[in-house]
Amino acid sequence: MDLSKINKEFFRIGDRSKEEFIYVFNKSESLPLNIDCAGITNPMPGYFIRRKGALFFVFEQILDGEGTLVYNGAEHKLEAGDFYCLEPGSEQYYYSSAENPMKKIWINFYCDFFPKIFEETGLTGTGVFHGFNAADKMTQLYSLIQKTPDNEAIAYPVMNILFSIVSDLSRFVSEKKDREKISETAKMTKFLLNESLTKKINVEDISAKLYKSKSQINRDFVRYYGTTPYKYLLDRRLELAKFMLANTNSTVKEISDTLVFVDEHYFCTLFKEKCGMTPGQYRLKTNGK
């Protein structure tokens, strides 16, 4: 990298009295990556950093507490288990909660080809990765730097660990997108079930409407809602039956027919099994008679 490009960026800081800080020496243009510094920020209510124009990357793992990051104009709430990557040239303002200040571990480094890696892995501009925990690898990085704060000695092993973190991040983002796709299928299934409390519907019907296999419909719904579509539909119909028993004059048979149970006998048997009493007993109880 061209070290002559390193400028004096806009930089403001708050309380850093409890911060463990390691500056790394021997930056070299012959190295593909140079560590600027690394550290552990212990809880400090008055801690903040405001930065603009820095040419280094910032990787930080929240270990405990809470805080806020304003990154390129967008505000993100931070908590233990969150990770953030701040790219060169960005506007950054992060600070601890006064009531529950953050503890975090971090590294700042220069690398000319990391922007391309971020672009190719789809990480550019993301900033915060909620629920991504790289604490072990960040601790490994910090221990390595603490032991030998010399770029010429540790640049390559540090780079390998950073590559590993970026690879994990890329997989994390990809899997999150897959989970969102799966949940969308489950949400549409739930919508169709809720629309059909008084109409006949089965998994075959949902499969045809969503162009998904029956096994995928069932698998995705269980994964997202913790029950099968069939059981979910029965539970919702029984809830509606309770409402109708308590608030209408409809007969038990009329309620059974409205909610498209097989017949009155099946409805009464199922109701007693799930609710511990017959529909008639439930009506008497809720009406206070």
Side-chain angles (χ1 to χ4, degrees):
M1 66 169 292
D2 183 0
L3 296 179
S4 67
K5 291 181 180 179
I6 298 177
N7 63 352
K8 246 187 173 179
E9 72 279 0
F10 169 84
F11 188 55
R12 297 286 185 274
I13 62 173
D15 181 17
R16 297 179 73 181
S17 60
K18 297 180 182 178
E19 192 165 55
E20 301 172 36
F21 183 94
I22 304 170
Y23 181 79
V24 185
F25 298 94
N26 290 330
K27 293 180 179 63
S28 171
E29 293 183 1
S30 65
L31 294 172
L33 177 145
N34 282 276
I35 307 110
D36 183 62
C37 54
I40 295 176
T41 302
N42 292 301
M44 293 172 281
Y47 172 85
F48 77 85
I49 287 185
R50 189 187 295 270
R51 185 187 291 122
K52 180 179 179 181
L55 295 182
F56 50 70
F57 278 86
V58 177
F59 279 20
E60 304 208 351
Q61 176 73 59
I62 309 300
L63 302 174
D64 198 12
E66 299 174 336
T68 301
L69 165 69
V70 181
Y71 182 56
N72 286 333
E75 182 175 300
H76 307 269
K77 294 300 179 183
L78 304 170
E79 62 182 14
D82 289 346
F83 189 87
Y84 55 90
C85 304
L86 310 182
E87 298 166 58
S90 57
E91 293 188 33
Q92 311 158 11
Y93 175 39
Y94 44 100
Y95 55 93
S96 275
S97 159
E99 297 78 20
N100 187 21
M102 295 184 293
K103 179 175 182 178
K104 58 193 180 72
I105 187 168
W106 51 270
I107 180 173
N108 300 348
F109 64 94
Y110 300 94
C111 186
D112 287 341
F113 57 81
F114 249 69
K116 185 64 175 176
I117 292 174
F118 264 54
E119 180 182 344
E120 293 297 326
T121 53
L123 303 177
T124 301
T126 304
V128 179
F129 301 85
H130 296 291
F132 177 79
N133 198 329
D136 288 346
K137 290 182 179 179
M138 291 295 289
T139 300
Q140 186 182 352
L141 273 176
Y142 185 75
S143 298
L144 182 63
I145 294 168
Q146 189 178 42
K147 183 178 179 181
T148 312
D150 183 334
N151 271 292
E152 292 185 353
I154 62 171
Y156 286 98
V158 165
M159 186 168 63
N160 287 338
I161 298 171
L162 289 171
F163 278 154
S164 177
I165 292 173
V166 170
S167 175
D168 291 344
L169 273 172
S170 180
R171 183 170 63 250
F172 176 82
V173 170
S174 177
E175 289 175 352
K176 183 178 179 182
K177 288 180 180 178
D178 288 342
R179 287 194 297 272
E180 288 172 351
K181 290 177 184 176
I182 291 171
S183 68
E184 189 62 34
T185 300
K187 287 176 184 177
M188 283 303 301
T189 301
K190 183 179 180 182
F191 173 79
L192 292 172
L193 292 171
N194 287 337
E195 269 201 331
S196 304
L197 297 183
T198 60
K199 297 181 290 186
K200 287 186 177 181
I201 190 171
N202 54 38
V203 175
E204 286 81 2
D205 298 327
I206 296 171
S207 174
K209 288 187 177 185
L210 299 184
Y211 301 99
K212 305 286 184 181
S213 68
K214 291 187 293 181
S215 61
Q216 185 177 350
I217 294 291
N218 278 301
R219 183 175 62 249
D220 292 357
F221 198 88
V222 169
R223 179 178 179 181
Y224 197 67
Y225 293 112
T227 188
T228 65
Y230 174 74
K231 289 180 179 177
Y232 174 84
L233 184 60
L234 278 183
D235 287 343
R236 298 294 79 74
R237 283 176 173 167
L238 287 172
E239 286 179 9
L240 185 52
K242 288 180 181 179
F243 176 84
M244 295 176 72
L245 287 165
N247 296 281
T248 74
N249 294 320
S250 299
T251 66
V252 171
K253 184 179 187 312
E254 288 171 341
I255 293 173
S256 174
D257 291 343
T258 298
L259 298 178
V260 291
F261 286 101
V262 176
D263 55 38
E264 182 182 356
H265 176 72
Y266 173 74
F267 168 60
C268 290
T269 301
L270 181 67
F271 192 96
K272 185 174 183 179
E273 178 186 325
K274 298 290 186 180
C275 305
M277 63 186 77
T278 66
Q281 290 169 335
Y282 181 85
R283 172 167 272 169
L284 287 173
K285 180 182 177 182
T286 53
N287 287 339
K289 298 179 181 178

